[in-house]
Amino acid sequence: MAKKETVWRGLIAACGLFLILLTVSIGVFLCYKGLGTFTLYKHSVWEFLFSSNWNPADDFQGGGRSGRPSLSSAPSASACSRC
């Protein structure tokens, strides 16, 4: 009976460790991808946290300032000729 308990206890511990590692890896991934806002597009953390108008106008080349108007890639109503 003690052998079964040891096996199940080990399985539960392994599953718990897997969930902890998964959670940490998701956090690392989100931080890695989210840092592009500050490194690639040159926004400051202060601007991100305390700006009352957070509407950055960034493109794939980077740059941009918060609140600057941008060209949207979303289709507008006038762009659809068959609608």
Side-chain angles (χ1 to χ4, degrees), residues 6-81:
T6 305
V7 170
W8 284 109
R9 186 173 293 173
L11 182 65
I12 297 295
C15 289
L17 183 62
F18 172 73
L19 289 176
I20 291 170
L21 290 174
L22 181 65
T23 303
V24 169
S25 64
I26 288 172
V28 169
F29 174 77
L30 290 175
C31 288
Y32 174 72
K33 290 296 184 177
L35 284 177
T37 299
F38 306 107
T39 57
L40 179 65
Y41 297 126
K42 308 296 184 219
H43 292 293
S44 69
V45 176
W46 183 264
E47 178 187 19
F48 177 72
L49 293 175
F50 300 109
S51 176
S52 62
N53 183 17
W54 178 253
N55 187 14
D58 299 323
D59 53 14
F60 290 112
Q61 284 79 33
R65 300 280 310 180
S66 179
R68 189 181 80 184
S70 68
L71 298 175
S72 176
S73 61
S76 64
S78 62
C80 182
S81 62

